[in-house]
Amino acid sequence: MKLVRFGPAGQETPGIVDGAGTVRDISSHLADIDGAALSPASLRRLAALDLAALPAAPAGARFGVPISGIGQFVAVGLNYADHAAESNMAIPREPILFTKAISCLSGPNDDVILPKNSVRSDWEVELGVVIGTTARYVEEDQALEHVAGYVLVNDVSEREYQLDRGGTWDKGKGCETFGPVGPYFVTADEVGDPQALDLWLDVNGVRMQTGNTRTMIFGVKTLVSYISRFMVLRPGDLITTGTPPGVGMGKTPSVYLKPGDVMTLGIEKLGQQRQNVLVWSPASVAV
């Protein structure tokens, strides 16, 4: 099952994608797609809807972040060995965790805005994991039971802010628009094995990243279990799980985003995103 939120930013309507790819309005059955909507009982109820009886979304409607009210946006660094190598960093012995600001969340096709004084903004296609039931001190063999589904994430990163400005990585990861998510939230049963998904990302039509989640250092069940030892994961929380090689920082010479660039990216079964890159100005961001 694929769930979406469509419409203007801040006014999204919940929807579901039918077998023909048409987005159906489910607002008569569900107020929003939030943590409560991701419970097993709620997802079973939505799966039983007669989609043909539901109205279609307007043609060309904007997609928003498919989950509303995300409480935590937890990220994992250097989770592909070949990406660690291109970054000239050691392969981690334990997962590297940081957070992306909730305020960086944006729709899958919304513009990405380079922050003031950005010199090294970069791209990262990643698998996102959405929690469906509360997880605390979860064992690995039970971790996937707490996963409601998966999303496509672009972990946009300003490398100078992240690596050269001291402190944690967070300051280079949470800039406004640096967290495009979606278009779909896809339930775990439809995705199947999360360690068998192809990922890719292009900039201006040139392939930059190609990978598969099977090459993660720490797989999804390991990450959910590990993170649940340090924080309580609640329904609707989002974990983004690291990126394969091919980021701009790893190119020789390095290549970074500039105004006018277009990023397109996708993950098998989870859909695609497209973002135009703009330079920051007062007119480029919402109040």
Side-chain angles (χ1 to χ4, degrees):
M1 183 167 55
K2 293 183 176 71
L3 300 179
V4 301
R5 297 172 68 247
F6 63 90
Q11 304 175 45
E12 291 90 348
T13 296
I16 191 169
V17 182
D18 68 17
T22 300
V23 175
R24 300 287 181 170
D25 184 334
I26 58 172
S27 59
S28 60
H29 297 272
L30 188 70
D32 207 348
I33 302 169
D34 56 11
L38 302 180
S39 71
S42 176
L43 292 178
R44 285 194 297 269
R45 181 174 63 84
L46 294 176
L49 293 176
D50 179 5
L51 302 188
L54 298 173
R62 168 190 173 271
F63 285 107
V65 178
I67 307 299
S68 174
I70 294 171
Q72 298 185 98
F73 193 175
V74 184
V76 181
L78 302 179
N79 197 29
Y80 290 73
D82 33 15
H83 172 55
E86 72 174 353
S87 303
N88 294 314
M89 296 182 184
I91 295 174
R93 297 174 59 186
E94 295 190 33
I96 294 172
L97 305 181
F98 59 94
T99 59
K100 287 180 72 76
I102 298 301
S103 57
C104 82
L105 288 163
S106 60
N109 303 315
D110 292 347
D111 295 333
V112 165
I113 301 169
L114 301 180
K116 283 185 175 183
N117 306 313
S118 170
V119 292
R120 287 159 51 195
S121 287
D122 206 346
W123 53 84
E124 295 190 8
V125 60
E126 303 196 4
L127 173 66
V129 179
V130 181
I131 299 299
T133 58
T134 299
R136 52 167 64 87
Y137 298 107
V138 173
E139 298 298 329
E140 279 197 26
D141 61 358
Q142 298 176 329
L144 294 184
E145 298 173 14
H146 296 270
V147 174
Y150 302 91
V151 292
L152 167 61
V153 176
N154 189 355
D155 176 20
V156 187
S157 309
E158 214 301 340
R159 303 299 189 190
E160 191 218 7
Y161 296 6
Q162 174 191 357
L163 300 173
D164 298 348
R165 302 283 291 271
T168 68
W169 287 5
D170 298 34
K171 66 179 69 171
K173 297 284 191 170
C175 302
E176 193 167 15
T177 74
F178 270 27
V181 177
Y184 313 123
F185 160 82
V186 186
T187 52
D189 62 315
E190 186 163 325
V191 172
D193 183 1
Q195 306 306 149
L197 302 174
D198 290 329
L199 310 85
W200 59 271
L201 181 145
D202 296 349
V203 178
N204 301 329
V206 177
R207 183 58 47 92
M208 296 295 184
Q209 291 186 273
T210 302
N212 188 285
T213 55
R214 67 175 173 268
T215 65
M216 285 182 181
I217 299 169
F218 305 104
V220 171
K221 66 180 182 180
T222 300
L223 293 175
V224 172
S225 174
Y226 182 86
I227 294 168
S228 77
R229 302 175 202 171
F230 301 98
M231 64 189 77
V232 178
L233 295 170
R234 300 192 185 279
D237 285 351
L238 174 59
I239 302 167
T240 191
T241 58
T243 198
V247 300
M249 179 175 63
K251 303 293 184 184
T252 305
S254 298
V255 179
Y256 294 110
L257 293 168
K258 61 185 184 302
D261 285 346
V262 177
M263 291 181 283
T264 52
L265 57 149
I267 298 180
E268 182 181 358
K269 301 182 181 180
L270 300 183
Q272 300 184 19
Q273 300 182 357
R274 182 184 188 279
Q275 295 114 25
N276 295 317
V277 179
L278 307 180
V279 66
W280 190 92
S281 72
S284 67
V285 295
V287 175

